[in-house]
Amino acid sequence: MPGLDFLQKELDDLKKQGLYQPLRTLGSAQAASCVVNGKKVVNLSSNNYLGLANHPKMKKAMIEATEKWGAGTASVRPIIGTMEIHTQLEKKLAEFKHMEASLVFVAGIAANRGVIQALLSSKVKGEDEKFVVISDELNHASIIDGVRLSKAQRKVYKHKDMNELEKVLKESQGAPRIMIITDGVFSMDGDIAPLPDIARLAKQYGAFTMVDDAHGEGVLGKNGRGTVDHFGLQGKWDIDMGTLSKAMGSLGGYIAGSQNLRDYLIQSARPFLFTTAHPPGVAAACIAAMEIVEEETWRHEKLWSNSKLFKTELQKMGFNTGRSETPITPIIIGDEVKTEQFSQKLFDEGVFGLRIVFPMVAKGAARVRTIVTAGHTEEELRFALDKIKKVGKELGII
Ligand SMILES: *Cc1c(COP(=O)(O)O)cnc(C)c1O
């Protein structure tokens, strides 16, 4: 019996293609400068947009809640795992997002799977096969997973192409449910989805809308309330999905929307029903995160001034930063091998920027993706820029 022997071949194949990625390990807290595989580097690859992951108030909230409520919940939410602190978090989130209600999942990936599947299921046998879900071609993997879990017809429109979206909506008329789903900020390019146009088309053609705001949270809108707030679309957008794992510095996914949406998902979203609730410390840290965001508004301002400085300098040096409009700034190199060398040499110089190659982006669109945060000092940014320039010249990229 060969058993698991196939694993060796699979791993060898990945290594041959240069796609094998060993885990790198942090030897310090997540921060603008940190220790990666034993080496001190300026970190350009975290989602710690507002520098909250190691914030004293977050840690204090977590410790205090742990003292009071314990280390874990030992139950799923619908049985006996919903503590008052979970409910407080959901109230706080709904207020923060200016929506009627919210529901928290253990992670963003669980929220996407749960919401999409639940809203595209029907108790009428066979009806769900008539539903349609329409997705931007560059949507995140967790959205794709959610879509795959449903039986709805899947349609994809070209990135941000509203003419194509309208065409697909026209073709889909007559379907009992039509869902449009998009990232708010696209994670590989840092550009923003045209939510007002999507909302208008959805209304015209009887569809409902969902945004995955994992990279818009803490970044866009007043004090970082997200992409829906950025466009002032509260009341005109149906489902605001986000994560507490990135800018909010802890862990979790959530949806914000109507009370009916929350009530329905509690009955039907499988990744809500069948997994253990967050430890109370996590819920407390997330509540603290929203308080900090509203008290320390300088963080949001610093995130943007740092991003602008960094992006402008990269462009002045002659790097291709694509269509980025947010703190996610790709340095697009194209060639996969050169991108790997660029990333490696940068690391040797003390700067960590993740290389991103096929299948995360198209072949020939390889890049190093940078994300600066509110936690970076100007000195750290200038250090990173100097090294990027040096290595870019050595490799003939600029
Ligand atoms: C990171 C990410 C998620 C997953 O969020 P987690 O809370 O880390 O599970 C979902 N969608 C997008 C666009 C993301 O970037």
Side-chain angles (χ1 to χ4, degrees):
M1 285 285 279
L4 282 177
D5 292 353
F6 66 91
L7 292 180
Q8 192 61 56
K9 183 177 173 319
E10 294 289 340
L11 287 167
D12 290 345
D13 284 353
L14 286 173
K15 283 179 188 161
K16 254 183 253 155
Q17 294 167 51
L19 294 175
Y20 180 80
Q21 284 267 32
L23 278 181
R24 60 187 72 77
T25 313
L26 269 175
S28 62
Q30 183 63 264
S33 284
C34 58
V35 179
V36 176
N37 290 349
K39 184 178 168 72
K40 182 138 188 284
V41 291
V42 172
N43 177 5
L44 296 178
S45 291
S46 82
N47 303 309
N48 194 18
Y49 289 106
L50 298 172
L52 299 191
N54 192 34
H55 192 291
K57 204 172 156 189
M58 301 276 288
K59 293 192 279 192
K60 186 158 172 274
M62 201 170 218
I63 291 164
E64 284 174 4
T66 306
E67 299 281 4
K68 180 165 179 198
W69 298 94
T73 53
S75 169
V76 297
R77 290 278 309 268
I79 299 183
I80 188 82
T82 301
M83 295 171 167
E84 285 164 14
I85 198 148
H86 296 106
T87 316
Q88 275 168 28
L89 168 59
E90 285 165 344
K91 287 220 175 86
K92 179 91 193 158
L93 259 171
E95 275 168 35
F96 182 68
K97 303 294 286 188
H98 295 312
M99 295 277 200
E100 211 171 271
S102 88
L103 187 70
V104 171
F105 291 72
V106 288
I109 189 167
N112 273 339
R113 288 181 178 173
V115 180
I116 300 169
Q117 188 192 25
L119 297 183
L120 294 174
S121 299
S122 170
K123 55 184 182 313
V124 180
K125 192 159 183 289
E127 193 194 35
D128 43 6
E129 287 159 31
K130 296 188 197 135
F131 296 163
V132 174
V133 52
I134 309 175
S135 186
D136 187 291
E137 68 179 343
L138 294 188
N139 278 349
H140 190 255
S142 61
I143 297 178
I144 296 167
D145 282 9
V147 168
R148 282 186 181 146
L149 287 171
S150 86
K151 292 196 183 124
Q153 296 165 39
R154 298 160 202 169
K155 300 187 177 173
V156 174
Y157 58 95
K158 264 212 244 70
H159 183 52
K160 302 209 302 194
D161 184 332
M162 294 297 103
N163 290 329
E164 234 193 77
L165 173 59
E166 182 161 20
K167 199 168 125 242
V168 176
L169 280 164
K170 276 188 184 150
E171 279 166 21
S172 309
Q173 291 302 288
R177 280 182 213 172
I178 307 172
M179 176 178 199
I180 307 171
I181 181 161
T182 181
D183 277 21
V185 172
F186 289 88
S187 51
M188 296 301 152
D189 294 278
D191 53 339
I192 303 171
L195 298 194
D197 295 332
I198 296 174
R200 183 178 47 76
L201 287 171
K203 190 159 179 225
Q204 189 178 345
Y205 292 96
F208 63 94
T209 49
M210 170 165 166
V211 63
D212 173 342
D213 216 16
H215 290 281
E217 219 81 65
V219 175
L220 292 177
K222 179 159 188 288
N223 295 353
R225 281 187 165 74
T227 311
V228 171
D229 186 81
H230 171 76
F231 288 116
L233 281 177
Q234 280 104 343
K236 299 193 182 118
W237 192 265
D238 296 306
I239 305 164
D240 195 346
M241 172 271 164
T243 168
L244 300 161
S245 324
K246 289 180 175 147
M248 295 300 159
S250 186
L251 175 68
Y254 69 87
I255 57 90
S258 67
Q259 186 66 42
N260 274 349
L261 176 66
R262 172 184 153 93
D263 292 348
Y264 182 71
L265 291 174
I266 291 174
Q267 310 311 311
S268 58
R270 296 169 69 84
F272 179 82
L273 294 170
F274 299 114
T275 195
T276 298
H278 273 153
V282 170
C286 295
I287 294 172
M290 279 176 280
E291 289 167 1
I292 298 166
V293 165
E294 289 182 309
E295 284 159 12
E296 300 180 7
T297 50
W298 63 265
R299 290 182 180 272
H300 188 240
E301 286 153 23
K302 184 91 184 299
L303 170 67
W304 278 95
S305 58
N306 275 349
S307 300
K308 279 186 189 135
L309 180 143
F310 196 72
K311 207 187 301 283
T312 311
E313 290 299 320
L314 286 177
Q315 287 164 349
K316 270 199 238 156
M317 289 173 195
F319 286 105
N320 174 7
T321 58
R323 46 182 182 252
S324 167
E325 307 169 73
T326 66
I328 296 179
T329 307
I331 299 174
I332 300 171
I333 294 163
D335 181 70
E336 280 75 17
V337 176
K338 207 166 232 184
T339 304
E340 170 69 42
Q341 289 168 344
F342 185 66
S343 175
Q344 185 56 50
K345 276 178 177 274
L346 272 184
F347 188 78
D348 296 341
E349 296 279 351
V351 177
F352 178 55
L354 182 70
R355 67 159 184 134
I356 295 186
V357 295
F358 181 80
M360 296 218 281
V361 292
K363 281 201 173 123
R367 63 199 58 194
V368 164
R369 183 183 65 169
T370 68
I371 299 181
V372 301
T373 70
H376 286 91
T377 60
E378 186 167 343
E379 195 188 350
E380 284 166 327
L381 294 180
R382 298 270 176 214
F383 173 84
L385 284 163
D386 277 353
K387 301 300 183 187
I388 290 171
K389 189 175 189 179
K390 173 167 182 248
V391 173
K393 283 204 166 135
E394 275 170 24
L395 291 174
I397 297 164
I398 50 168

